[in-house]
């Protein structure tokens, strides 16, 4: 949120966990960033006040975390295949809900710290099939990455130890 606040006039950060909202607010205050509003809400539930309000929306969705498993090795112990299926439902719900908040001509970003196609490329392909008002926009990155059918994957062995995924969409 702080990084984004340096690039945008206003940033609205939404998290379902009150303690994380407090962390965002505290960090913004420490960094002297006064253009961040932190909101405690469930991103799966539609907020009519946000409809068509934002030039850009970043959905940094909950994921398996396997792209950063080296930092938290217990991730490998606490995930099962059924966890991915449950996460997929949440991920798709968030991107669908948050897509309503993008102004025409604006951008929607989907991001995970996962390396699995099921959480990344497959979700974005599914989203595009159901939302013809959006089209993928290619992104450029100085980090080594692999261009997927949709979006870009960054793998720990080529991206300085971190694995994640990003896809950028433009609303027509």
């Amino acid at each position: 949120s702080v990084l984004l606040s340096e690039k945008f006039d206003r940033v609205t950060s939404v998290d379902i966990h009150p303690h994380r909202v407090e962390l965002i607010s505290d960090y913004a205050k420490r960094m002297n960033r006064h253009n961040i509003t932190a909101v405690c809400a469930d991103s799966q539930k539609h907020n009519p006040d946000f409809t068509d309000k934002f030039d850009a929306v970043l959905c940094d969705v909950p994921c398996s975390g396997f792209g950063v498993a080296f930092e938290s090795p217990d991730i490998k112990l606490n995930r099962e295949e059924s966890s991915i299926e449950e996460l997929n439902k949440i991920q798709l719900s968030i991107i669908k809900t948050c897509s309503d908040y993008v102004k025409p001509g604006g951008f929607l970003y989907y991001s995970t710290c996962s390396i699995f196609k099921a959480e990344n490329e497959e979700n974005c392909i599914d989203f595009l099939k159901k939302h013809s008002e959006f089209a993928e926009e290619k992104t450029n990155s100085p980090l080594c990455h692999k261009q997927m059918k949709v979006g870009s994957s960054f793998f720990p062995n080529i991206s300085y130890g971190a694995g994640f995924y990003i896809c950028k969409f433009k609303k027509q």
Side-chain angles (χ1 to χ4, degrees):
S1 296
V2 169
L3 178 62
L4 291 173
S5 76
E6 295 171 2
K7 300 176 182 293
F8 293 94
D9 293 335
R10 291 176 301 165
V11 173
T12 302
S13 296
V14 177
D15 200 292
I16 195 168
H17 303 289
H19 74 280
R20 291 186 67 172
V21 172
E22 190 173 325
L23 288 171
I24 294 166
S25 296
D26 290 347
Y27 187 48
K29 192 180 294 182
R30 279 195 319 276
M31 299 304 292
N32 202 28
R33 303 305 302 173
H34 303 289
N35 59 339
I36 300 171
T37 302
V39 177
C40 187
D42 183 348
S43 293
Q44 295 183 80
K45 295 191 169 124
H46 190 265
N47 181 340
D49 293 336
F50 288 174
T51 302
D52 293 330
K53 182 176 179 181
F54 298 97
D55 296 315
V57 173
L58 168 62
C59 297
D60 187 12
V61 299
C63 67
S64 66
F66 268 86
V68 292
F70 70 94
E71 291 176 3
S72 304
D74 60 322
I75 286 172
K76 296 175 189 174
L77 302 173
N78 296 323
R79 295 284 188 225
E80 298 177 13
E81 194 168 332
S82 61
S83 299
I84 303 295
E85 293 169 11
E86 291 169 26
L87 284 167
N88 282 144
K89 292 175 188 169
I90 295 168
Q91 293 160 345
L92 286 167
S93 177
I94 289 173
I95 192 172
K96 189 267 177 243
T97 300
C98 292
S99 70
D100 291 340
Y101 305 153
V102 181
K103 291 178 183 177
F107 298 96
L108 175 66
Y109 298 85
Y110 176 87
S111 170
T112 74
C113 57
S114 173
I115 56 173
F116 299 134
K117 283 185 177 183
E119 293 185 88
N120 298 328
E121 183 180 22
E122 291 174 10
N123 278 347
C124 290
I125 289 170
D126 186 57
F127 173 77
L128 283 172
K129 285 179 183 174
K130 296 174 181 170
H131 295 88
S132 60
E133 71 275 24
F134 284 91
E136 182 195 7
E137 291 267 315
K138 297 294 182 195
T139 57
N140 293 321
S141 173
L143 282 179
C144 292
H145 63 282
K146 182 177 180 190
Q147 191 65 44
M148 308 304 281
K149 287 181 186 173
V150 176
S152 299
S153 286
F154 298 79
F155 296 105
N157 62 321
I158 62 172
S159 301
Y160 301 104
F164 56 98
Y165 174 87
I166 184 81
C167 191
K168 178 181 179 183
F169 305 97
K170 184 171 185 177
K171 188 173 186 178
Q172 309 305 319

